[in-house]
Amino acid sequence: MPSTTHPTSMAAMAAGAAGALWACSAFVPSSSGLRGAYVTSRSTASSVTLSSSSSLEQPSGVSGALLAPGVVAAAAAALLSGRRGRASETRKAVACKAFENEMGATMPMRYFDPLGMSKDGDAEAFRRRRCAEIKNGRVAMWACMGYIVPQYFRWPGYCSPSMDVKFSDVPNGIAALKAVPAEGWAQIGIFIAFLELFPGRQEQDRIPGDLPGFGKLGVPVFARKCDAEGSRRSLEAEINNGRLAMIAITGMVAQNMYFGTTDPKMWLPGAAFEGELGVQAPVGFWDPLGLAADGDVDNFKRRRAVELKHGRICMLACVGYIIPEYFRWPGFLSPAQGIKFADVPHGIAAVSKVPLEGWLQIGLFIGHYEGQFFRQDPKRAPGDFENYGFLGVGKNFIFNFDPIEFPDAEVKNKKLAAEIANGRLAMIALSAMVFQNGTVGTTGPAMWLPSS
């Protein structure tokens, strides 16, 4: 019999069918007609296996009466199991589409769940995570403001009169953890607990984030019950701003912890290279680590050349994650070892599949490019190689055509700035692809296409 464990309802249905048939067959002697019916049911439910075929030939009416109900029960259980499996597959397919129209599924990523946390379609679990996301986003937005405001304003008076600690004595950032007295942290904890339990509690009849004492956006002025559809735009903006704030506060804390800085240099652009390519909205000149704070032009050009090279490689690498899903080179990667291109798995798994000689060839090819074609001339702009020009495309031993040139300087700068921005995006995208591939194992279109 199948080894699948069935729910109580299925077991009851199977037992009822067996009992009913047993009750009937107890008054009917065994006949070839019953055995023929059993053989037919056996061919229909092929998963049923008998320990001995001789039981089919038992002349006893009692054995036939006992055997038939068991077989019917097995057939019923197998049929129910098959229907249950098909229903489960249908539910999984529906679950993939369950939350695509929820708030927060906005451009450019739309519904983005690379870890598949909501693939089970559990609405309660999704609601709980959405409540947590909104709450963490609001806290992160306040935390970002908490890093900025103390640089320009401090409350007057004392934080702890008994310990003679003024608000102006409390340092900004992580250092404040040691300066605030234990009694102060206790008060903060009690205040947060009060908010969580009373005005900030989440009620079931309100949408996630719509709290009875605060309303939408977590602001008391909106304390009335929120109209989800009428406020959809502002609610989605809050979710996106909260996501950005969570990333921002992570960067601020990391910079504060490793470099000790909490001043305006953390969020305001510097002055030395604000007119360079790549200084674009919304962040302008962004150098949170202060690598260009010394104003060294040569170092800046070297880093820009490295940024461009990494961006171009990552753009090709992102394409390299996508194309093998739809096209593979024909023939053999290694004829001597009988390895075809089609045999090489996608993503990280290919590292162990490609022979050592193949990696040596790849290394020599890259070294030849670096040493011969992609040498950076100090007299040329970063990323502008001789005979290559715009976007690093031009003459080499593979292609032989003149590099693309743009006589209009404004058009050229716009396209070069777009290349830098696309390269930055590709570096983040490739990091996410490799991370997802390494942790979850997926490399298919679900990695870059929203589920439909």
Side-chain angles (χ1 to χ4, degrees):
M1 292 183 67
S3 60
T4 307
T5 302
H6 304 288
T8 304
S9 60
M10 292 185 178
M13 291 172 64
L21 186 57
W22 178 84
C24 296
S25 61
F27 301 96
V28 180
S30 176
S31 66
S32 60
L34 287 177
R35 288 197 296 269
Y38 164 66
V39 172
T40 303
S41 67
R42 183 178 183 273
S43 64
T44 303
S46 60
S47 60
V48 178
T49 304
L50 297 180
S51 60
S52 173
S53 62
S54 63
S55 62
L56 294 174
E57 305 300 329
Q58 291 290 338
S60 171
V62 175
S63 64
L66 294 177
L67 180 61
V71 172
V72 171
L79 180 61
L80 291 171
S81 175
R83 290 180 177 177
R84 183 188 179 200
R86 290 191 295 272
S88 176
E89 292 176 0
T90 302
R91 284 195 298 270
K92 288 181 180 178
V94 172
C96 292
K97 305 178 182 179
F99 308 111
E100 288 188 357
N101 295 321
E102 292 289 335
M103 287 190 186
T106 56
M107 296 297 289
M109 303 302 296
R110 298 195 62 80
Y111 180 69
F112 183 65
D113 182 22
L115 299 182
M117 299 180 70
S118 298
K119 65 181 180 181
D120 57 0
D122 190 330
E124 288 298 322
F126 180 86
R127 176 183 170 86
R128 177 178 57 79
R129 295 192 187 100
R130 172 50 53 81
C131 291
E133 179 187 27
I134 292 175
K135 184 177 294 184
N136 290 338
R138 289 171 178 172
V139 172
M141 285 188 277
W142 283 112
C144 289
M145 294 298 297
Y147 255 98
I148 297 173
V149 171
Q151 293 293 333
Y152 307 99
F153 172 78
R154 298 292 182 101
W155 292 111
Y158 286 85
C159 172
S160 175
S162 61
M163 300 181 66
D164 195 31
V165 178
K166 296 180 179 180
F167 286 105
S168 58
D169 297 332
V170 179
N172 198 5
I174 297 174
L177 297 175
K178 297 183 295 183
V180 176
E183 295 84 352
W185 288 116
Q187 294 176 33
I188 293 172
I190 293 172
F191 178 72
I192 293 174
F194 172 78
L195 292 179
E196 287 282 320
L197 294 174
F198 297 103
R201 70 185 182 277
Q202 180 66 60
E203 296 182 343
Q204 289 297 322
D205 63 339
R206 290 173 175 255
I207 64 172
D210 184 15
L211 310 177
F214 292 91
K216 70 174 185 179
L217 308 183
V219 181
V221 72
F222 299 117
R224 62 184 181 278
K225 195 170 183 179
C226 176
D227 176 11
E229 289 304 318
S231 304
R232 187 180 183 93
R233 182 175 180 182
S234 61
L235 293 173
E236 288 191 332
E238 181 196 23
I239 292 174
N240 286 333
N241 289 336
R243 292 166 178 169
L244 177 61
M246 286 187 274
I247 297 174
I249 193 62
T250 302
M252 286 180 169
V253 171
Q255 181 174 341
N256 184 192
M257 183 167 56
Y258 288 107
F259 298 94
T261 55
T262 60
D263 56 15
K265 292 179 182 177
M266 179 183 285
W267 55 84
L268 293 178
F273 304 104
E274 287 185 0
E276 294 289 335
L277 286 173
V279 180
Q280 305 170 38
V283 295
F285 180 74
W286 197 63
D287 182 23
L289 300 183
L291 296 174
D294 57 2
D296 190 317
V297 177
D298 291 335
N299 282 338
F300 179 84
K301 292 180 67 174
R302 177 178 60 81
R303 294 191 189 99
R304 172 50 53 80
V306 170
E307 179 187 27
L308 282 166
K309 187 176 293 185
H310 287 168
R312 291 168 179 173
I313 291 172
C314 288
M315 284 188 279
L316 290 172
C318 288
V319 173
Y321 253 101
I322 297 173
I323 288 181
E325 290 292 329
Y326 308 100
F327 171 79
R328 297 290 183 101
W329 292 111
F332 286 85
L333 170 68
S334 174
Q337 299 190 32
I339 301 176
K340 297 181 179 180
F341 286 103
D343 298 333
V344 180
H346 198 186
I348 297 175
V351 174
S352 59
K353 190 72 173 179
V354 176
L356 177 61
E357 296 82 356
W359 287 115
L360 289 175
Q361 292 176 33
I362 293 172
L364 290 172
F365 178 78
I366 294 174
H368 181 67
Y369 253 85
E370 286 281 314
Q372 180 65 28
F373 297 107
F374 284 171
R375 293 195 307 269
Q376 182 65 59
D377 187 348
K379 298 179 181 179
R380 302 173 74 97
D384 182 17
F385 306 112
E386 186 177 1
N387 292 326
Y388 278 81
F390 179 65
L391 301 183
V393 179
K395 293 183 178 180
N396 52 44
F397 61 90
I398 299 177
F399 304 106
N400 186 23
F401 51 80
D402 293 330
I404 303 172
E405 296 290 346
F406 293 93
D408 189 333
E410 184 176 351
V411 173
K412 180 178 180 180
N413 287 339
K414 184 177 180 179
K415 292 186 177 295
L416 291 174
E419 180 197 19
I420 294 173
N422 290 335
R424 291 167 177 169
L425 177 61
M427 286 186 271
I428 297 174
L430 182 64
S431 299
M433 285 180 168
V434 172
F435 177 81
Q436 180 173 342
N437 186 190
T439 55
V440 186
T442 55
T443 61
M447 179 183 284
W448 56 84
L449 293 178
S451 54
S452 57

